[in-house]
Amino acid sequence: MSNKIVVGITQGDSNSISYEVIIKALSDNRIIELCTPVLYGSSKLFGYYKKQIQDAENLTVNLITNPSEIHHKRINIINCVPESVSADPGKSTPESSRGAFLSLDKAINHLRSGDIDVLVTGPFNKASMQAEGFNFPGHTEYLAKEFDRSDTLMFMISATLKVGVVTNHIPLKEVPSSITSEKIVKKCKILLDSLRRDFAIEYPKVAVLSLNPHAGENGVLGKEEIEIIKPAIDEIKSDGELVFGPFAPDGFFASSLCKKFDAVLAMYHDQGLIPFKALSAEGGVNYTAGLPVVRTSPDHGTAYDIAGKGIANHTSMLNAIYSAIDIFKKRLEYEEIRKNPLKVEIPASRGND
């Protein structure tokens, strides 16, 4: 038996850059020392893309049918797609989308049963997945349903910045009507709990962004800040939490102010992800907070335009694997502390010495 963390990785869309960034990440010698990777996908597709990556020539894989056959010193592959599958880099096809769903479904079943410890998901095409019967805006919403969570948080994390969003994948015109004080409070509580449980920040400090330009200019540019966002912040603060705002996003990210907080809660997808990706370069990670399990993914999409060219940057995928491992360990430590609180030993008095 091994006590190494077992990391399940889904193939995503096989015609995207997903296989390339996965193979490049697994070529890093540190990975096999830190964890046991299990790729849910296709050994045939893995071999196809591996040939195009020079540093992957010496990768040793172990083809298995179930987690009981895992080899802890190799990369393991569980075939989830038909043997007839073929690669067509740069094109979204029904076959590649179907493979992405089959891979995800199998990995989630093994995550639920405890056969793998954490899940790292490769990118897929949301529109193509819809055509295959995947009736969810993305991974975040699907995982919430699979693990029976009424609410989760899309939480973008990097070494220098953490950003959660109140609304996920919805049209921009629907954002204002979707934002309520109750929703902000729920999302912020998930964020605060994650900072404590997943990142070991005992007293997290959170900044909440405004919806309107210049934080509404006292109602001149919109009343959401006065009527919805500020009351939500006050409610959270009444519980003793260090939550502040609302801050105007343009000035907030353009100054050193954001460095004074452990995390930021944005009102909508692009408000949070555009500055996050700009400031985190290519090393950001998408984390789903609020689940009973750990799931991360790279913070980029399918990038069909460069698929199959061998030029995709794998830093985000590598960081997604590292982050999943770190969060899993932090959760174990957090639960252990809750079960057995550390006893602080008070030294014996030495009088006036």
Side-chain angles (χ1 to χ4, degrees), residues 136-157:
F136 298 86
H139 281 102
T140 304
E141 295 81 4
Y142 183 67
L143 286 159
K145 189 271 291 186
E146 285 294 306
F147 288 95
D148 197 27
R149 286 295 186 268
S150 60
D151 210 352
T152 58
L153 178 77
M154 181 186 290
F155 200 11
M156 311 302 294
I157 59 175

Side-chain angles (χ1 to χ4, degrees), residues 183-248:
K183 191 163 193 172
I184 294 170
V185 170
K186 283 184 178 180
K187 295 290 186 179
C188 196
K189 285 184 176 180
I190 294 173
L191 187 152
L192 288 162
D193 180 67
S194 179
L195 290 172
R196 292 189 174 99
R197 183 185 182 196
D198 303 327
F199 300 95
I201 301 173
E202 189 173 359
Y203 301 106
K205 190 175 180 182
V206 174
V208 178
L209 302 183
S210 67
L211 173 65
N212 297 298
H214 307 293
E217 289 280 18
N218 293 317
V220 175
L221 301 178
K223 297 185 182 300
E224 284 85 358
E225 286 71 26
I226 297 171
E227 298 176 353
I228 297 173
I229 302 175
K230 188 64 166 63
I233 294 172
D234 291 341
E235 180 179 340
I236 302 164
K237 289 177 75 171
S238 69
D239 291 332
E241 300 288 5
L242 302 176
V243 179
F244 304 89
F247 297 99

